């Protein structure tokens, strides 16, 4: 019986012969792969839509991402276009964070007009990967709405700071 063998050469210089018939990899190789995944560089967005204004940066971005983390832990968010659209149409108050690197923008081009009609604040974040990281998931997120917290909530002060920052940078609110 002839078996097919596959040669894989690793960056460390060692050569490992693996059977294409499904033999398991040695423990060292599995540990190397896990280390490579941990060292994975953060994804950089190369595209930012020309319609993505106001785009939050610097201190306001850091506060916004902190707000998203806190609200996700308290389950006070709406993720994705259909869920956010439904919440806005129902009249729920909050802040919408939209990813500026989504192509085509037609996917959620109706959200800013809905937000302006209902008096809901919205801003763009540079990358959908930043929104996904703030939600503590590896999956990129195109749109997230943070619901307005009750007065005694843990993130109400952060929410007020972010709203004040959005009022300062937003040309339409």
């Amino acid at each position: 019986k002839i078996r097919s063998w596959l040669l894989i050469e690793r960056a460390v210089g060692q050569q490992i012969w693996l059977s294409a018939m499904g033999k398991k990899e040695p423990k060292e190789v599995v540990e190397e792969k896990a280390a490579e995944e941990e060292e994975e560089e953060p994804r950089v967005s190369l595209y930012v839509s020309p319609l993505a204004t106001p785009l939050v940066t610097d201190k306001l971005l850091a506060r916004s991402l902190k707000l998203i983390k806190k609200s996700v832990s308290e389950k006070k968010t709406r993720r994705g276009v259909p869920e956010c659209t439904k919440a806005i149409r129902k009249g729920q108050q909050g802040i919408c964070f939209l990813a500026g690197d989504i192509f085509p923008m037609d996917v959620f081009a109706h959200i800013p007009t809905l937000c302006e009609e209902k008096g809901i604040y919205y801003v763009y974040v540079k990358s959908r990967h930043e929104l996904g990281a703030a939600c503590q998931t590896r999956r990129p997120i195109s749109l997230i709405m943070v619901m307005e917290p009750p007065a005694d909530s843990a993130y109400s002060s952060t929410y007020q700071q972010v709203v004040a920052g959005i009022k300062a940078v937003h040309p339409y609110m």
Side-chain angles (χ1 to χ4, degrees), residues 75-135:
K75 309 263 190 220
K76 296 289 183 184
T77 57
R78 302 283 179 262
R79 288 187 209 175
V81 179
E83 199 173 333
C84 290
T85 304
K86 192 161 94 174
I88 292 168
R89 287 197 173 133
K90 283 184 176 180
Q92 295 178 354
Q93 292 296 310
I95 305 172
C96 280
F97 295 96
L98 300 102
D101 64 343
I102 301 294
F103 183 80
M105 279 298 275
D106 301 344
V107 175
F108 57 74
H110 62 286
I111 298 290
T113 53
L114 274 176
C115 288
E116 287 175 13
E117 287 174 4
K118 299 286 185 172
I120 296 171
Y121 296 105
Y122 69 93
V123 288
Y124 287 88
V125 177
K126 188 175 181 181
S127 160
R128 61 185 171 213
H129 299 289
E130 286 180 355
L131 286 178
C135 291

Side-chain angles (χ1 to χ4, degrees), residues 18-35:
L18 296 175
S19 169
M21 305 302 281
K23 285 188 179 177
K24 292 188 177 180
E25 295 182 29
K27 212 176 203 180
E28 297 169 359
V29 177
V30 174
E31 289 173 0
E32 275 184 32
K33 284 185 179 179

Side-chain angles (χ1 to χ4, degrees), residues 112-173:
T113 53
L114 274 176
C115 288
E116 287 175 13
E117 287 174 4
K118 299 286 185 172
I120 296 171
Y121 296 105
Y122 69 93
V123 288
Y124 287 88
V125 177
K126 188 175 181 181
S127 160
R128 61 185 171 213
H129 299 289
E130 286 180 355
L131 286 178
C135 291
Q136 297 159 350
T137 179
R138 285 188 171 184
R139 185 129 178 101
I141 294 175
S142 60
L143 169 63
I144 186 165
M145 182 176 180
V146 175
M147 308 309 290
E148 188 172 14
D152 62 337
S153 180
Y155 68 97
S156 61
S157 63
T158 309
Y159 182 87
Q160 295 304 325
Q161 289 175 344
V162 172
V163 166
I166 291 171
K167 284 180 184 176
V169 299
H170 207 292
Y172 308 115
M173 294 283 178

